[in-house]
Structure formats: structure tokens, C-alpha cells
Amino acid sequence: MSKNEKITFIILLFIGFALRFFNLTEIPFTNDELSALNRLNYPDFSTMLSKAVWTDGHPAGVQTFLWFYIKLFGTKQWVIKFPFVLMGSVSLLFYFLAAKKLSNTKTALFTLAFLATLQYPIIYSQTIRPYSSGQFIASVCLYLWASILS
């Protein structure tokens, strides 16, 4: 990468992180998030599985993660949202690296610029639902696939 491309990469990555972390302490929970949090109020893990996970149509991973996570770190809004915002932010790096391997640096920067600033990926990086974890896993898989192909 040239010096200008490195600077552009750093700026775009910073913008992507900043937009996802902006006002993290002020972002209210959505009804879907409140529903997920309400299903965490069970005394033990097996009860939570039987009454919250198996009765819901969402994947069990996020609900299970949240149950353990709030036991360790508490229920402050920004604390609960933090790992999801982090996964959504770090996925930007993996998308960039995958695009660079599959094409070139200019295409990767273009991809990063879009994903860093589009509202859809930003909003879903800030919700405590399976979206940002799915995006993170998809970006890592894409990067690994690109690494195998190149």
C-alpha cells in the first residue's frame, strides 16, 4: 500500500469505529433488544435455555452469550452493547482485508468506505441481536476464504 492508501485506510477505519461507538451511552434499547434482555431473568442456565432460547426463533448463541455476559459485567446499557459494537467495528477490518486479497487496495478502500458509513451496518452493529456477531463471523469467513483462494 502506498502512503496515501495507508492514510485513507486509517481514516476510514477510524470513521467506521467512531460512527459505531458514537453516543454509545445514549443509544436506547429497541423493543427487540428489551425482549432479549427480559428473557435473561432466569436463575440458572438450564431454565434460561428451556424458557428463553428454545421458545424463541433466534439463534441460541447471542442469548447464551448475553446470559453469561451480564452476570460478569452487569446490565448498564453501554456495557451490554459494547461487544456487539466492537464486533461490528472489527468486521470492517476483515472485509477490507478480504477485498484486498480478492481484488486490490483501491477496491478494498471503496468497500471499507461504504461499509464504514452506510446506516444499515452501523445500526445493526449497535443492537444486541445476532446481526453484528453474524456480520463479524461472515467477515472472518470471507477473509479466510479469500486467503485460501489467493
Side-chain angles (χ1 to χ4, degrees):
M1 271 196 313
S2 71
K3 183 178 179 182
N4 285 342
E5 289 171 336
K6 286 180 185 176
I7 291 170
T8 304
F9 166 73
I10 290 169
I11 290 170
L12 288 172
L13 202 58
F14 175 77
I15 289 170
F17 272 68
L19 288 174
R20 283 156 179 75
F21 280 96
F22 181 72
N23 273 346
L24 183 60
T25 59
E26 305 299 320
I27 302 169
F29 287 126
T30 64
N31 285 336
D32 196 29
E33 291 174 301
L34 290 172
S35 171
L37 291 173
N38 189 42
R39 291 190 307 270
L40 298 175
N41 296 322
Y42 293 102
D44 58 80
F45 184 67
S46 63
T47 305
M48 188 276 298
L49 281 177
S50 65
K51 295 192 178 194
V53 171
W54 306 135
T55 60
D56 187 34
H58 290 88
V62 170
Q63 198 72 27
T64 301
F65 168 76
L66 283 171
W67 193 83
F68 288 108
Y69 184 78
I70 66 167
K71 303 277 187 240
L72 292 172
F73 299 106
T75 57
K76 286 189 179 181
Q77 194 166 307
W78 74 270
V79 171
I80 294 174
K81 286 183 179 274
F82 181 78
F84 296 91
V85 173
L86 187 62
M87 282 186 283
S89 299
V90 172
S91 68
L92 295 173
L93 175 64
F94 284 105
Y95 281 129
F96 170 82
L97 294 171
K100 186 176 175 188
K101 282 187 175 291
L102 292 172
S103 186
N104 58 44
T105 303
K106 289 189 187 324
T107 302
L109 289 171
F110 192 69
T111 302
L112 179 58
F114 270 111
L115 290 173
T117 59
L118 286 172
Q119 190 66 30
Y120 181 81
I122 293 171
I123 289 289
Y124 283 107
S125 291
Q126 296 171 335
T127 59
I128 59 167
R129 302 306 296 138
Y131 313 121
S132 64
S133 58
Q135 180 179 1
F136 175 73
I137 291 168
S139 68
V140 171
C141 288
L142 179 62
Y143 170 71
L144 294 172
W145 179 66
S147 297
I148 290 168
L149 290 179
S150 59

Tab-separated table of all heavy atoms in Angstrom, residues 45-85:
chain	number	residue	atom	x	y	z
A	45	PHE	N	-28.883	-21.448	34.195
A	45	PHE	CA	-28.674	-21.559	32.752
A	45	PHE	C	-29.667	-22.502	32.088
A	45	PHE	O	-30.208	-22.210	31.026
A	45	PHE	CB	-27.234	-21.996	32.474
A	45	PHE	CG	-26.888	-22.040	31.020
A	45	PHE	CD1	-26.835	-20.879	30.261
A	45	PHE	CD2	-26.615	-23.246	30.399
A	45	PHE	CE1	-26.532	-20.917	28.910
A	45	PHE	CE2	-26.303	-23.296	29.051
A	45	PHE	CZ	-26.261	-22.127	28.304
A	46	SER	N	-29.944	-23.639	32.704
A	46	SER	CA	-30.849	-24.612	32.079
A	46	SER	C	-32.276	-24.065	31.977
A	46	SER	O	-32.967	-24.306	30.987
A	46	SER	CB	-30.832	-25.946	32.824
A	46	SER	OG	-31.305	-25.783	34.133
A	47	THR	N	-32.704	-23.305	32.975
A	47	THR	CA	-34.027	-22.687	32.917
A	47	THR	C	-34.073	-21.634	31.817
A	47	THR	O	-35.052	-21.536	31.071
A	47	THR	CB	-34.400	-22.046	34.271
A	47	THR	OG1	-34.281	-23.024	35.291
A	47	THR	CG2	-35.803	-21.476	34.245
A	48	MET	N	-32.998	-20.865	31.703
A	48	MET	CA	-32.931	-19.861	30.647
A	48	MET	C	-33.006	-20.535	29.278
A	48	MET	O	-33.704	-20.068	28.377
A	48	MET	CB	-31.642	-19.039	30.781
A	48	MET	CG	-31.555	-17.829	29.851
A	48	MET	SD	-30.960	-18.116	28.173
A	48	MET	CE	-29.324	-18.717	28.443
A	49	LEU	N	-32.298	-21.655	29.111
A	49	LEU	CA	-32.349	-22.380	27.838
A	49	LEU	C	-33.766	-22.864	27.523
A	49	LEU	O	-34.261	-22.668	26.416
A	49	LEU	CB	-31.398	-23.576	27.854
A	49	LEU	CG	-29.925	-23.297	27.633
A	49	LEU	CD1	-29.121	-24.579	27.753
A	49	LEU	CD2	-29.682	-22.651	26.283
A	50	SER	N	-34.403	-23.468	28.494
A	50	SER	CA	-35.720	-24.059	28.236
A	50	SER	C	-36.819	-23.016	28.065
A	50	SER	O	-37.734	-23.207	27.273
A	50	SER	CB	-36.095	-25.036	29.348
A	50	SER	OG	-36.248	-24.358	30.568
A	51	LYS	N	-36.730	-21.895	28.765
A	51	LYS	CA	-37.816	-20.907	28.709
A	51	LYS	C	-37.523	-19.705	27.812
A	51	LYS	O	-38.451	-19.007	27.424
A	51	LYS	CB	-38.141	-20.431	30.119
A	51	LYS	CG	-38.697	-21.531	30.975
A	51	LYS	CD	-39.283	-21.022	32.237
A	51	LYS	CE	-39.861	-22.210	32.993
A	51	LYS	NZ	-40.722	-21.822	34.053
A	52	ALA	N	-36.259	-19.464	27.487
A	52	ALA	CA	-35.940	-18.279	26.682
A	52	ALA	C	-35.359	-18.630	25.321
A	52	ALA	O	-35.682	-17.978	24.335
A	52	ALA	CB	-34.954	-17.381	27.441
A	53	VAL	N	-34.522	-19.631	25.261
A	53	VAL	CA	-33.847	-19.939	23.995
A	53	VAL	C	-34.707	-20.842	23.119
A	53	VAL	O	-34.947	-20.537	21.945
A	53	VAL	CB	-32.467	-20.586	24.255
A	53	VAL	CG1	-31.856	-21.097	22.968
A	53	VAL	CG2	-31.539	-19.572	24.911
A	54	TRP	N	-35.175	-21.945	23.666
A	54	TRP	CA	-35.901	-22.915	22.843
A	54	TRP	C	-37.264	-22.392	22.403
A	54	TRP	O	-37.840	-22.908	21.443
A	54	TRP	CB	-36.055	-24.245	23.573
A	54	TRP	CG	-34.744	-24.817	24.049
A	54	TRP	CD1	-34.518	-25.360	25.282
A	54	TRP	CD2	-33.497	-24.912	23.353
A	54	TRP	NE1	-33.211	-25.764	25.396
A	54	TRP	CE2	-32.554	-25.495	24.209
A	54	TRP	CE3	-33.056	-24.530	22.095
A	54	TRP	CZ2	-31.229	-25.730	23.860
A	54	TRP	CZ3	-31.730	-24.747	21.732
A	54	TRP	CH2	-30.846	-25.345	22.613
A	55	THR	N	-37.803	-21.392	23.088
A	55	THR	CA	-39.104	-20.825	22.705
A	55	THR	C	-38.972	-19.663	21.725
A	55	THR	O	-39.975	-19.134	21.262
A	55	THR	CB	-39.855	-20.333	23.956
A	55	THR	OG1	-39.073	-19.330	24.609
A	55	THR	CG2	-40.141	-21.473	24.911
A	56	ASP	N	-37.745	-19.265	21.412
A	56	ASP	CA	-37.502	-18.123	20.531
A	56	ASP	C	-36.958	-18.617	19.191
A	56	ASP	O	-36.282	-19.627	19.114
A	56	ASP	CB	-36.473	-17.193	21.199
A	56	ASP	CG	-36.278	-15.894	20.444
A	56	ASP	OD1	-37.253	-15.389	19.865
A	56	ASP	OD2	-35.147	-15.385	20.430
A	57	GLY	N	-37.240	-17.876	18.137
A	57	GLY	CA	-36.794	-18.277	16.812
A	57	GLY	C	-35.379	-17.850	16.470
A	57	GLY	O	-34.853	-18.225	15.441
A	58	HIS	N	-34.741	-17.064	17.329
A	58	HIS	CA	-33.383	-16.587	17.060
A	58	HIS	C	-32.351	-17.655	17.431
A	58	HIS	O	-32.624	-18.529	18.250
A	58	HIS	CB	-33.097	-15.308	17.860
A	58	HIS	CG	-33.856	-14.125	17.373
A	58	HIS	ND1	-35.112	-13.826	17.835
A	58	HIS	CD2	-33.545	-13.169	16.475
A	58	HIS	CE1	-35.544	-12.728	17.239
A	58	HIS	NE2	-34.609	-12.311	16.397
A	59	PRO	N	-31.146	-17.560	16.858
A	59	PRO	CA	-30.083	-18.496	17.238
A	59	PRO	C	-29.766	-18.391	18.737
A	59	PRO	O	-29.877	-17.325	19.333
A	59	PRO	CB	-28.884	-18.035	16.399
A	59	PRO	CG	-29.473	-17.274	15.273
A	59	PRO	CD	-30.726	-16.646	15.795
A	60	ALA	N	-29.379	-19.500	19.310
A	60	ALA	CA	-29.159	-19.565	20.760
A	60	ALA	C	-27.870	-18.880	21.208
A	60	ALA	O	-27.724	-18.535	22.379
A	60	ALA	CB	-29.140	-21.016	21.211
A	61	GLY	N	-26.934	-18.669	20.306
A	61	GLY	CA	-25.622	-18.152	20.694
A	61	GLY	C	-25.649	-16.797	21.366
A	61	GLY	O	-25.007	-16.593	22.397
A	62	VAL	N	-26.377	-15.850	20.815
A	62	VAL	CA	-26.405	-14.498	21.382
A	62	VAL	C	-27.087	-14.497	22.738
A	62	VAL	O	-26.608	-13.875	23.684
A	62	VAL	CB	-27.073	-13.502	20.417
A	62	VAL	CG1	-27.325	-12.161	21.085
A	62	VAL	CG2	-26.218	-13.322	19.172
A	63	GLN	N	-28.212	-15.206	22.846
A	63	GLN	CA	-28.928	-15.262	24.123
A	63	GLN	C	-28.057	-15.913	25.199
A	63	GLN	O	-27.996	-15.443	26.331
A	63	GLN	CB	-30.239	-16.035	23.952
A	63	GLN	CG	-31.225	-15.807	25.049
A	63	GLN	CD	-31.853	-14.423	25.007
A	63	GLN	OE1	-31.961	-13.815	23.966
A	63	GLN	NE2	-32.256	-13.937	26.153
A	64	THR	N	-27.363	-16.972	24.836
A	64	THR	CA	-26.467	-17.651	25.773
A	64	THR	C	-25.316	-16.733	26.164
A	64	THR	O	-24.978	-16.616	27.349
A	64	THR	CB	-25.918	-18.943	25.143
A	64	THR	OG1	-27.027	-19.783	24.812
A	64	THR	CG2	-24.978	-19.666	26.067
A	65	PHE	N	-24.712	-16.081	25.175
A	65	PHE	CA	-23.634	-15.135	25.451
A	65	PHE	C	-24.105	-14.041	26.412
A	65	PHE	O	-23.414	-13.720	27.387
A	65	PHE	CB	-23.124	-14.510	24.147
A	65	PHE	CG	-22.231	-13.328	24.354
A	65	PHE	CD1	-20.914	-13.500	24.755
A	65	PHE	CD2	-22.708	-12.036	24.176
A	65	PHE	CE1	-20.094	-12.410	24.977
A	65	PHE	CE2	-21.893	-10.945	24.387
A	65	PHE	CZ	-20.581	-11.124	24.793
A	66	LEU	N	-25.278	-13.459	26.136
A	66	LEU	CA	-25.792	-12.374	26.986
A	66	LEU	C	-26.036	-12.839	28.414
A	66	LEU	O	-25.774	-12.088	29.361
A	66	LEU	CB	-27.085	-11.803	26.389
A	66	LEU	CG	-26.935	-10.876	25.215
A	66	LEU	CD1	-28.293	-10.565	24.592
A	66	LEU	CD2	-26.237	-9.589	25.631
A	67	TRP	N	-26.529	-14.050	28.575
A	67	TRP	CA	-26.813	-14.549	29.919
A	67	TRP	C	-25.540	-14.580	30.765
A	67	TRP	O	-25.525	-14.140	31.901
A	67	TRP	CB	-27.454	-15.938	29.841
A	67	TRP	CG	-28.056	-16.375	31.145
A	67	TRP	CD1	-29.282	-16.057	31.628
A	67	TRP	CD2	-27.437	-17.193	32.138
A	67	TRP	NE1	-29.480	-16.622	32.861
A	67	TRP	CE2	-28.352	-17.333	33.202
A	67	TRP	CE3	-26.204	-17.826	32.241
A	67	TRP	CZ2	-28.075	-18.075	34.337
A	67	TRP	CZ3	-25.934	-18.570	33.382
A	67	TRP	CH2	-26.868	-18.686	34.412
A	68	PHE	N	-24.446	-15.093	30.186
A	68	PHE	CA	-23.170	-15.132	30.911
A	68	PHE	C	-22.550	-13.738	31.019
A	68	PHE	O	-21.979	-13.367	32.046
A	68	PHE	CB	-22.179	-16.088	30.234
A	68	PHE	CG	-22.530	-17.533	30.420
A	68	PHE	CD1	-23.020	-18.287	29.370
A	68	PHE	CD2	-22.377	-18.137	31.659
A	68	PHE	CE1	-23.347	-19.621	29.542
A	68	PHE	CE2	-22.699	-19.473	31.856
A	68	PHE	CZ	-23.190	-20.218	30.793
A	69	TYR	N	-22.658	-12.965	29.970
A	69	TYR	CA	-22.026	-11.644	29.909
A	69	TYR	C	-22.572	-10.693	30.980
A	69	TYR	O	-21.800	-10.016	31.661
A	69	TYR	CB	-22.217	-11.051	28.509
A	69	TYR	CG	-21.528	-9.735	28.306
A	69	TYR	CD1	-20.159	-9.676	28.083
A	69	TYR	CD2	-22.232	-8.545	28.319
A	69	TYR	CE1	-19.518	-8.462	27.888
A	69	TYR	CE2	-21.602	-7.328	28.125
A	69	TYR	CZ	-20.247	-7.288	27.912
A	69	TYR	OH	-19.612	-6.092	27.729
A	70	ILE	N	-23.905	-10.656	31.135
A	70	ILE	CA	-24.450	-9.735	32.141
A	70	ILE	C	-24.143	-10.195	33.566
A	70	ILE	O	-24.071	-9.374	34.471
A	70	ILE	CB	-25.962	-9.488	31.964
A	70	ILE	CG1	-26.770	-10.744	32.215
A	70	ILE	CG2	-26.262	-8.867	30.625
A	70	ILE	CD1	-28.255	-10.485	32.369
A	71	LYS	N	-23.923	-11.491	33.743
A	71	LYS	CA	-23.516	-11.983	35.066
A	71	LYS	C	-22.117	-11.462	35.423
A	71	LYS	O	-21.828	-11.184	36.575
A	71	LYS	CB	-23.511	-13.512	35.106
A	71	LYS	CG	-24.820	-14.157	34.764
A	71	LYS	CD	-25.744	-14.216	35.937
A	71	LYS	CE	-26.979	-15.013	35.605
A	71	LYS	NZ	-28.209	-14.275	35.730
A	72	LEU	N	-21.256	-11.338	34.410
A	72	LEU	CA	-19.884	-10.862	34.627
A	72	LEU	C	-19.757	-9.339	34.657
A	72	LEU	O	-19.025	-8.793	35.469
A	72	LEU	CB	-18.953	-11.410	33.532
A	72	LEU	CG	-18.678	-12.894	33.533
A	72	LEU	CD1	-17.914	-13.294	32.277
A	72	LEU	CD2	-17.888	-13.278	34.773
A	73	PHE	N	-20.468	-8.658	33.752
A	73	PHE	CA	-20.224	-7.223	33.565
A	73	PHE	C	-21.386	-6.316	33.917
A	73	PHE	O	-21.252	-5.096	33.853
A	73	PHE	CB	-19.802	-6.969	32.108
A	73	PHE	CG	-18.539	-7.673	31.732
A	73	PHE	CD1	-18.572	-8.784	30.913
A	73	PHE	CD2	-17.310	-7.239	32.216
A	73	PHE	CE1	-17.401	-9.446	30.565
A	73	PHE	CE2	-16.144	-7.897	31.877
A	73	PHE	CZ	-16.188	-9.000	31.052
A	74	GLY	N	-22.530	-6.858	34.259
A	74	GLY	CA	-23.646	-6.022	34.668
A	74	GLY	C	-24.584	-5.677	33.523
A	74	GLY	O	-24.433	-6.163	32.408
A	75	THR	N	-25.537	-4.805	33.835
A	75	THR	CA	-26.606	-4.519	32.875
A	75	THR	C	-26.661	-3.065	32.412
A	75	THR	O	-27.682	-2.619	31.912
A	75	THR	CB	-27.972	-4.898	33.488
A	75	THR	OG1	-28.144	-4.185	34.715
A	75	THR	CG2	-28.074	-6.390	33.720
A	76	LYS	N	-25.579	-2.338	32.591
A	76	LYS	CA	-25.585	-0.977	32.049
A	76	LYS	C	-25.719	-1.057	30.533
A	76	LYS	O	-25.128	-1.930	29.891
A	76	LYS	CB	-24.311	-0.230	32.424
A	76	LYS	CG	-24.260	0.189	33.854
A	76	LYS	CD	-23.082	1.100	34.103
A	76	LYS	CE	-23.111	1.508	35.558
A	76	LYS	NZ	-22.034	2.409	35.883
A	77	GLN	N	-26.454	-0.136	30.003
A	77	GLN	CA	-26.762	-0.159	28.577
A	77	GLN	C	-25.516	-0.196	27.701
A	77	GLN	O	-25.398	-1.013	26.797
A	77	GLN	CB	-27.601	1.078	28.259
A	77	GLN	CG	-28.265	1.051	26.935
A	77	GLN	CD	-29.324	2.119	26.863
A	77	GLN	OE1	-30.192	2.194	27.717
A	77	GLN	NE2	-29.244	2.930	25.849
A	78	TRP	N	-24.557	0.686	27.953
A	78	TRP	CA	-23.357	0.752	27.112
A	78	TRP	C	-22.505	-0.501	27.283
A	78	TRP	O	-21.862	-0.952	26.351
A	78	TRP	CB	-22.542	2.012	27.369
A	78	TRP	CG	-21.782	2.015	28.655
A	78	TRP	CD1	-22.200	2.459	29.865
A	78	TRP	CD2	-20.449	1.534	28.857
A	78	TRP	NE1	-21.229	2.270	30.814
A	78	TRP	CE2	-20.135	1.712	30.212
A	78	TRP	CE3	-19.499	0.960	28.013
A	78	TRP	CZ2	-18.907	1.339	30.741
A	78	TRP	CZ3	-18.271	0.590	28.544
A	78	TRP	CH2	-17.992	0.789	29.905
A	79	VAL	N	-22.516	-1.088	28.475
A	79	VAL	CA	-21.735	-2.301	28.733
A	79	VAL	C	-22.308	-3.472	27.931
A	79	VAL	O	-21.554	-4.255	27.353
A	79	VAL	CB	-21.728	-2.629	30.248
A	79	VAL	CG1	-21.119	-3.986	30.520
A	79	VAL	CG2	-20.993	-1.546	31.017
A	80	ILE	N	-23.620	-3.564	27.882
A	80	ILE	CA	-24.256	-4.658	27.143
A	80	ILE	C	-24.028	-4.492	25.640
A	80	ILE	O	-23.778	-5.460	24.927
A	80	ILE	CB	-25.769	-4.719	27.463
A	80	ILE	CG1	-25.973	-5.105	28.928
A	80	ILE	CG2	-26.469	-5.715	26.551
A	80	ILE	CD1	-27.405	-5.051	29.392
A	81	LYS	N	-24.090	-3.260	25.153
A	81	LYS	CA	-23.936	-3.013	23.714
A	81	LYS	C	-22.476	-3.096	23.249
A	81	LYS	O	-22.216	-3.330	22.072
A	81	LYS	CB	-24.506	-1.649	23.349
A	81	LYS	CG	-26.019	-1.607	23.354
A	81	LYS	CD	-26.520	-0.262	22.909
A	81	LYS	CE	-28.016	-0.225	22.885
A	81	LYS	NZ	-28.575	-0.712	21.632
A	82	PHE	N	-21.523	-2.910	24.151
A	82	PHE	CA	-20.111	-2.821	23.779
A	82	PHE	C	-19.597	-3.984	22.923
A	82	PHE	O	-18.997	-3.748	21.869
A	82	PHE	CB	-19.236	-2.639	25.024
A	82	PHE	CG	-17.783	-2.517	24.699
A	82	PHE	CD1	-17.264	-1.329	24.223
A	82	PHE	CD2	-16.922	-3.603	24.846
A	82	PHE	CE1	-15.923	-1.210	23.896
A	82	PHE	CE2	-15.584	-3.496	24.528
A	82	PHE	CZ	-15.083	-2.292	24.056
A	83	PRO	N	-19.775	-5.260	23.312
A	83	PRO	CA	-19.206	-6.338	22.479
A	83	PRO	C	-19.814	-6.397	21.083
A	83	PRO	O	-19.132	-6.759	20.118
A	83	PRO	CB	-19.477	-7.616	23.270
A	83	PRO	CG	-20.528	-7.268	24.245
A	83	PRO	CD	-20.422	-5.802	24.509
A	84	PHE	N	-21.069	-6.008	20.952
A	84	PHE	CA	-21.717	-6.038	19.642
A	84	PHE	C	-21.183	-4.921	18.753
A	84	PHE	O	-20.939	-5.132	17.562
A	84	PHE	CB	-23.235	-5.942	19.823
A	84	PHE	CG	-23.792	-7.122	20.564
A	84	PHE	CD1	-23.913	-7.102	21.937
A	84	PHE	CD2	-24.156	-8.264	19.882
A	84	PHE	CE1	-24.394	-8.197	22.633
A	84	PHE	CE2	-24.641	-9.372	20.556
A	84	PHE	CZ	-24.762	-9.346	21.939
A	85	VAL	N	-20.988	-3.741	19.343
A	85	VAL	CA	-20.404	-2.625	18.593
A	85	VAL	C	-18.961	-2.967	18.206
A	85	VAL	O	-18.531	-2.688	17.083
A	85	VAL	CB	-20.462	-1.317	19.425
A	85	VAL	CG1	-19.719	-0.199	18.733
A	85	VAL	CG2	-21.899	-0.910	19.675
